[in-house]
mmCIF file of all heavy atoms in Angstrom:
data_model
loop_
_atom_site.group_PDB
_atom_site.id
_atom_site.type_symbol
_atom_site.label_atom_id
_atom_site.label_comp_id
_atom_site.label_asym_id
_atom_site.label_seq_id
_atom_site.Cartn_x
_atom_site.Cartn_y
_atom_site.Cartn_z
ATOM 1 N N GLN A 1 21.178 -47.041 34.818
ATOM 2 C CA GLN A 1 20.597 -47.661 33.677
ATOM 3 C C GLN A 1 19.486 -48.646 34.056
ATOM 4 O O GLN A 1 18.607 -48.934 33.299
ATOM 5 C CB GLN A 1 21.699 -48.439 32.934
ATOM 6 C CG GLN A 1 22.278 -49.618 33.717
ATOM 7 C CD GLN A 1 23.384 -50.341 33.024
ATOM 8 O OE1 GLN A 1 23.132 -51.088 32.129
ATOM 9 N NE2 GLN A 1 24.634 -50.142 33.424
ATOM 10 N N TYR A 2 19.577 -49.190 35.298
ATOM 11 C CA TYR A 2 18.625 -50.246 35.693
ATOM 12 C C TYR A 2 17.191 -49.673 35.953
ATOM 13 O O TYR A 2 16.236 -50.487 35.990
ATOM 14 C CB TYR A 2 19.158 -51.019 36.876
ATOM 15 C CG TYR A 2 20.146 -52.083 36.392
ATOM 16 C CD1 TYR A 2 21.470 -51.802 36.356
ATOM 17 C CD2 TYR A 2 19.653 -53.257 35.784
ATOM 18 C CE1 TYR A 2 22.422 -52.749 35.872
ATOM 19 C CE2 TYR A 2 20.604 -54.197 35.270
ATOM 20 C CZ TYR A 2 21.919 -53.924 35.328
ATOM 21 O OH TYR A 2 22.811 -54.822 34.790
ATOM 22 N N PHE A 3 17.072 -48.407 36.157
ATOM 23 C CA PHE A 3 15.689 -47.854 36.180
ATOM 24 C C PHE A 3 15.070 -47.941 34.823
ATOM 25 O O PHE A 3 13.869 -48.308 34.680
ATOM 26 C CB PHE A 3 15.766 -46.333 36.622
ATOM 27 C CG PHE A 3 16.188 -46.181 38.039
ATOM 28 C CD1 PHE A 3 17.415 -45.620 38.356
ATOM 29 C CD2 PHE A 3 15.353 -46.558 39.107
ATOM 30 C CE1 PHE A 3 17.821 -45.415 39.671
ATOM 31 C CE2 PHE A 3 15.752 -46.344 40.417
ATOM 32 C CZ PHE A 3 16.951 -45.800 40.704
ATOM 33 N N ILE A 4 15.894 -47.721 33.806
ATOM 34 C CA ILE A 4 15.363 -47.802 32.435
ATOM 35 C C ILE A 4 15.120 -49.270 32.020
ATOM 36 O O ILE A 4 14.108 -49.588 31.448
ATOM 37 C CB ILE A 4 16.396 -47.182 31.438
ATOM 38 C CG1 ILE A 4 16.607 -45.704 31.756
ATOM 39 C CG2 ILE A 4 15.948 -47.421 29.985
ATOM 40 C CD1 ILE A 4 15.424 -44.845 31.474
ATOM 41 N N TRP A 5 16.037 -50.148 32.333
ATOM 42 C CA TRP A 5 15.941 -51.503 31.965
ATOM 43 C C TRP A 5 14.729 -52.203 32.614
ATOM 44 O O TRP A 5 14.007 -52.997 31.989
ATOM 45 C CB TRP A 5 17.172 -52.368 32.322
ATOM 46 C CG TRP A 5 18.412 -51.988 31.559
ATOM 47 C CD1 TRP A 5 19.695 -51.890 32.104
ATOM 48 C CD2 TRP A 5 18.577 -51.647 30.213
ATOM 49 N NE1 TRP A 5 20.608 -51.559 31.140
ATOM 50 C CE2 TRP A 5 19.943 -51.389 29.949
ATOM 51 C CE3 TRP A 5 17.673 -51.562 29.165
ATOM 52 C CZ2 TRP A 5 20.375 -51.060 28.676
ATOM 53 C CZ3 TRP A 5 18.188 -51.213 27.905
ATOM 54 C CH2 TRP A 5 19.495 -50.969 27.678
ATOM 55 N N THR A 6 14.432 -51.869 33.890
ATOM 56 C CA THR A 6 13.259 -52.403 34.545
ATOM 57 C C THR A 6 11.984 -51.987 33.874
ATOM 58 O O THR A 6 11.142 -52.883 33.546
ATOM 59 C CB THR A 6 13.231 -51.976 36.043
ATOM 60 O OG1 THR A 6 14.420 -52.397 36.655
ATOM 61 C CG2 THR A 6 12.031 -52.556 36.727
ATOM 62 N N ILE A 7 11.827 -50.749 33.570
ATOM 63 C CA ILE A 7 10.643 -50.265 32.849
ATOM 64 C C ILE A 7 10.536 -50.806 31.501
ATOM 65 O O ILE A 7 9.482 -51.262 31.009
ATOM 66 C CB ILE A 7 10.609 -48.737 32.819
ATOM 67 C CG1 ILE A 7 10.614 -48.136 34.243
ATOM 68 C CG2 ILE A 7 9.435 -48.175 32.029
ATOM 69 C CD1 ILE A 7 10.776 -46.589 34.298
ATOM 70 N N SER A 8 11.668 -50.839 30.771
ATOM 71 C CA SER A 8 11.748 -51.394 29.431
ATOM 72 C C SER A 8 11.338 -52.864 29.395
ATOM 73 O O SER A 8 10.646 -53.278 28.450
ATOM 74 C CB SER A 8 13.095 -51.181 28.833
ATOM 75 O OG SER A 8 13.180 -51.682 27.499
ATOM 76 N N SER A 9 11.792 -53.630 30.381
ATOM 77 C CA SER A 9 11.395 -55.075 30.428
ATOM 78 C C SER A 9 9.875 -55.230 30.508
ATOM 79 O O SER A 9 9.298 -56.082 29.814
ATOM 80 C CB SER A 9 12.117 -55.744 31.657
ATOM 81 O OG SER A 9 13.521 -55.720 31.483
ATOM 82 N N LEU A 10 9.275 -54.444 31.349
ATOM 83 C CA LEU A 10 7.839 -54.543 31.465
ATOM 84 C C LEU A 10 7.095 -54.110 30.207
ATOM 85 O O LEU A 10 6.175 -54.863 29.783
ATOM 86 C CB LEU A 10 7.389 -53.664 32.694
ATOM 87 C CG LEU A 10 7.901 -54.085 34.053
ATOM 88 C CD1 LEU A 10 7.465 -53.050 35.137
ATOM 89 C CD2 LEU A 10 7.331 -55.456 34.438
ATOM 90 N N PHE A 11 7.559 -53.072 29.596
ATOM 91 C CA PHE A 11 6.987 -52.637 28.351
ATOM 92 C C PHE A 11 7.146 -53.642 27.214
ATOM 93 O O PHE A 11 6.260 -53.923 26.447
ATOM 94 C CB PHE A 11 7.506 -51.288 27.870
ATOM 95 C CG PHE A 11 6.762 -50.096 28.461
ATOM 96 C CD1 PHE A 11 7.076 -49.569 29.670
ATOM 97 C CD2 PHE A 11 5.670 -49.642 27.750
ATOM 98 C CE1 PHE A 11 6.402 -48.485 30.189
ATOM 99 C CE2 PHE A 11 4.986 -48.520 28.295
ATOM 100 C CZ PHE A 11 5.317 -47.958 29.481
ATOM 101 N N THR A 12 8.339 -54.306 27.134
ATOM 102 C CA THR A 12 8.602 -55.221 26.056
ATOM 103 C C THR A 12 7.821 -56.560 26.329
ATOM 104 O O THR A 12 7.376 -57.134 25.303
ATOM 105 C CB THR A 12 10.098 -55.554 26.026
ATOM 106 O OG1 THR A 12 10.894 -54.384 25.910
ATOM 107 C CG2 THR A 12 10.451 -56.476 24.853
ATOM 108 N N ILE A 13 7.590 -56.931 27.549
ATOM 109 C CA ILE A 13 6.730 -58.096 27.779
ATOM 110 C C ILE A 13 5.324 -57.816 27.259
ATOM 111 O O ILE A 13 4.679 -58.639 26.592
ATOM 112 C CB ILE A 13 6.668 -58.366 29.302
ATOM 113 C CG1 ILE A 13 8.050 -58.948 29.764
ATOM 114 C CG2 ILE A 13 5.577 -59.432 29.624
ATOM 115 C CD1 ILE A 13 8.199 -59.047 31.282
ATOM 116 N N ALA A 14 4.851 -56.569 27.495
ATOM 117 C CA ALA A 14 3.506 -56.235 27.039
ATOM 118 C C ALA A 14 3.522 -56.192 25.513
ATOM 119 O O ALA A 14 2.556 -56.595 24.858
ATOM 120 C CB ALA A 14 3.152 -54.852 27.569
ATOM 121 N N LEU A 15 4.607 -55.681 24.881
ATOM 122 C CA LEU A 15 4.670 -55.582 23.453
ATOM 123 C C LEU A 15 4.633 -56.929 22.773
ATOM 124 O O LEU A 15 3.849 -57.202 21.830
ATOM 125 C CB LEU A 15 5.954 -54.849 23.067
ATOM 126 C CG LEU A 15 6.214 -54.692 21.567
ATOM 127 C CD1 LEU A 15 5.165 -53.845 20.903
ATOM 128 C CD2 LEU A 15 7.572 -54.022 21.370
ATOM 129 N N TRP A 16 5.414 -57.876 23.260
ATOM 130 C CA TRP A 16 5.473 -59.215 22.629
ATOM 131 C C TRP A 16 4.222 -59.999 22.977
ATOM 132 O O TRP A 16 3.766 -60.869 22.217
ATOM 133 C CB TRP A 16 6.746 -59.946 23.101
ATOM 134 C CG TRP A 16 7.894 -59.648 22.236
ATOM 135 C CD1 TRP A 16 8.956 -58.847 22.530
ATOM 136 C CD2 TRP A 16 8.164 -60.143 20.926
ATOM 137 N NE1 TRP A 16 9.817 -58.713 21.487
ATOM 138 C CE2 TRP A 16 9.356 -59.526 20.462
ATOM 139 C CE3 TRP A 16 7.447 -60.960 20.062
ATOM 140 C CZ2 TRP A 16 9.944 -59.770 19.204
ATOM 141 C CZ3 TRP A 16 8.026 -61.190 18.764
ATOM 142 C CH2 TRP A 16 9.215 -60.646 18.404
ATOM 143 N N THR A 17 3.602 -59.804 24.104
ATOM 144 C CA THR A 17 2.345 -60.450 24.438
ATOM 145 C C THR A 17 1.248 -59.995 23.438
ATOM 146 O O THR A 17 0.520 -60.839 22.935
ATOM 147 C CB THR A 17 1.838 -60.077 25.860
ATOM 148 O OG1 THR A 17 2.857 -60.558 26.761
ATOM 149 C CG2 THR A 17 0.563 -60.760 26.208
ATOM 150 N N GLN A 18 1.248 -58.727 23.144
ATOM 151 C CA GLN A 18 0.290 -58.223 22.172
ATOM 152 C C GLN A 18 0.545 -58.755 20.797
ATOM 153 O O GLN A 18 -0.395 -59.140 20.022
ATOM 154 C CB GLN A 18 0.312 -56.671 22.147
ATOM 155 C CG GLN A 18 -0.755 -56.073 21.225
ATOM 156 C CD GLN A 18 -0.733 -54.519 21.334
ATOM 157 O OE1 GLN A 18 0.086 -53.917 21.935
ATOM 158 N NE2 GLN A 18 -1.667 -53.879 20.595
ATOM 159 N N THR A 19 1.858 -58.823 20.461
ATOM 160 C CA THR A 19 2.226 -59.402 19.173
ATOM 161 C C THR A 19 1.786 -60.878 19.023
ATOM 162 O O THR A 19 1.256 -61.298 17.956
ATOM 163 C CB THR A 19 3.744 -59.364 18.950
ATOM 164 O OG1 THR A 19 4.144 -57.919 18.981
ATOM 165 C CG2 THR A 19 4.170 -59.877 17.569
ATOM 166 N N MET A 20 1.960 -61.629 20.074
ATOM 167 C CA MET A 20 1.576 -63.044 20.093
ATOM 168 C C MET A 20 0.086 -63.223 19.977
ATOM 169 O O MET A 20 -0.401 -64.055 19.244
ATOM 170 C CB MET A 20 2.107 -63.715 21.367
ATOM 171 C CG MET A 20 1.936 -65.185 21.372
ATOM 172 S SD MET A 20 2.298 -65.933 22.939
ATOM 173 C CE MET A 20 0.976 -65.174 23.973
ATOM 174 N N LEU A 21 -0.660 -62.351 20.688
ATOM 175 C CA LEU A 21 -2.142 -62.435 20.605
ATOM 176 C C LEU A 21 -2.653 -62.090 19.265
ATOM 177 O O LEU A 21 -3.746 -62.517 18.881
ATOM 178 C CB LEU A 21 -2.703 -61.488 21.711
ATOM 179 C CG LEU A 21 -2.484 -61.933 23.204
ATOM 180 C CD1 LEU A 21 -3.058 -60.840 24.083
ATOM 181 C CD2 LEU A 21 -3.063 -63.268 23.459
ATOM 182 N N GLN A 22 -1.879 -61.376 18.446
ATOM 183 C CA GLN A 22 -2.250 -60.970 17.123
ATOM 184 C C GLN A 22 -1.952 -62.087 16.122
ATOM 185 O O GLN A 22 -2.133 -61.927 14.948
ATOM 186 C CB GLN A 22 -1.614 -59.652 16.715
ATOM 187 C CG GLN A 22 -2.180 -58.442 17.527
ATOM 188 C CD GLN A 22 -1.400 -57.176 17.202
ATOM 189 O OE1 GLN A 22 -0.329 -57.162 16.670
ATOM 190 N NE2 GLN A 22 -1.974 -56.036 17.612
ATOM 191 N N GLY A 23 -1.252 -63.163 16.604
ATOM 192 C CA GLY A 23 -0.960 -64.286 15.755
ATOM 193 C C GLY A 23 0.475 -64.403 15.365
ATOM 194 O O GLY A 23 0.784 -65.362 14.603
ATOM 195 N N ASP A 24 1.318 -63.485 15.737
ATOM 196 C CA ASP A 24 2.722 -63.599 15.463
ATOM 197 C C ASP A 24 3.561 -63.816 16.755
ATOM 198 O O ASP A 24 3.121 -63.536 17.829
ATOM 199 C CB ASP A 24 3.188 -62.296 14.748
ATOM 200 C CG ASP A 24 2.549 -62.100 13.373
ATOM 201 O OD1 ASP A 24 2.549 -63.040 12.589
ATOM 202 O OD2 ASP A 24 1.980 -61.030 13.204
ATOM 203 N N GLY A 25 4.802 -64.283 16.538
ATOM 204 C CA GLY A 25 5.721 -64.446 17.628
ATOM 205 C C GLY A 25 5.353 -65.663 18.499
ATOM 206 O O GLY A 25 4.435 -66.383 18.145
ATOM 207 N N ASN A 26 6.078 -65.811 19.604
ATOM 208 C CA ASN A 26 5.787 -66.992 20.442
ATOM 209 C C ASN A 26 6.284 -66.624 21.855
ATOM 210 O O ASN A 26 6.647 -65.503 22.122
ATOM 211 C CB ASN A 26 6.480 -68.270 19.928
ATOM 212 C CG ASN A 26 7.954 -67.995 19.692
ATOM 213 O OD1 ASN A 26 8.694 -67.646 20.596
ATOM 214 N ND2 ASN A 26 8.427 -68.271 18.472
ATOM 215 N N PHE A 27 6.201 -67.655 22.716
ATOM 216 C CA PHE A 27 6.472 -67.407 24.141
ATOM 217 C C PHE A 27 7.952 -67.185 24.424
ATOM 218 O O PHE A 27 8.331 -66.702 25.470
ATOM 219 C CB PHE A 27 5.937 -68.534 24.986
ATOM 220 C CG PHE A 27 4.482 -68.534 25.246
ATOM 221 C CD1 PHE A 27 3.637 -69.453 24.575
ATOM 222 C CD2 PHE A 27 3.906 -67.624 26.119
ATOM 223 C CE1 PHE A 27 2.294 -69.397 24.771
ATOM 224 C CE2 PHE A 27 2.549 -67.628 26.361
ATOM 225 C CZ PHE A 27 1.747 -68.499 25.657
ATOM 226 N N ALA A 28 8.834 -67.576 23.507
ATOM 227 C CA ALA A 28 10.266 -67.629 23.827
ATOM 228 C C ALA A 28 10.795 -66.262 24.278
ATOM 229 O O ALA A 28 11.474 -66.141 25.332
ATOM 230 C CB ALA A 28 11.052 -68.091 22.569
ATOM 231 N N LEU A 29 10.432 -65.193 23.525
ATOM 232 C CA LEU A 29 11.029 -63.881 23.881
ATOM 233 C C LEU A 29 10.252 -63.267 25.073
ATOM 234 O O LEU A 29 10.835 -62.426 25.853
ATOM 235 C CB LEU A 29 10.940 -62.895 22.677
ATOM 236 C CG LEU A 29 11.847 -63.346 21.555
ATOM 237 C CD1 LEU A 29 11.702 -62.436 20.317
ATOM 238 C CD2 LEU A 29 13.277 -63.397 21.928
ATOM 239 N N ILE A 30 8.983 -63.671 25.282
ATOM 240 C CA ILE A 30 8.287 -63.209 26.477
ATOM 241 C C ILE A 30 8.976 -63.824 27.682
ATOM 242 O O ILE A 30 9.191 -63.145 28.719
ATOM 243 C CB ILE A 30 6.784 -63.662 26.432
ATOM 244 C CG1 ILE A 30 6.103 -62.944 25.250
ATOM 245 C CG2 ILE A 30 6.101 -63.331 27.733
ATOM 246 C CD1 ILE A 30 4.655 -63.416 25.052
ATOM 247 N N PHE A 31 9.338 -65.076 27.636
ATOM 248 C CA PHE A 31 10.102 -65.724 28.712
ATOM 249 C C PHE A 31 11.404 -64.985 28.964
ATOM 250 O O PHE A 31 11.756 -64.726 30.132
ATOM 251 C CB PHE A 31 10.393 -67.185 28.342
ATOM 252 C CG PHE A 31 9.196 -68.099 28.383
ATOM 253 C CD1 PHE A 31 9.185 -69.252 27.619
ATOM 254 C CD2 PHE A 31 8.139 -67.794 29.216
ATOM 255 C CE1 PHE A 31 8.111 -70.096 27.706
ATOM 256 C CE2 PHE A 31 7.040 -68.669 29.294
ATOM 257 C CZ PHE A 31 7.018 -69.784 28.521
#
């Protein structure tokens, strides 16, 4: 499962970063 979780963590960081740059969300979930 940790092969999946590692890749997923990186993708989700990118996803929330993009969301934040678009004006929504905040740093909490990126952290």
Side-chain angles (χ1 to χ4, degrees):
Q1 65 181 286
Y2 280 96
F3 292 110
I4 299 292
W5 293 140
T6 300
I7 298 172
S8 180
S9 294
L10 295 173
F11 270 90
T12 307
I13 291 170
L15 178 63
W16 274 103
T17 300
Q18 185 176 4
T19 300
M20 187 189 66
L21 292 176
Q22 291 173 345
D24 296 309
N26 54 56
F27 282 106
L29 294 176
I30 296 176
F31 287 155

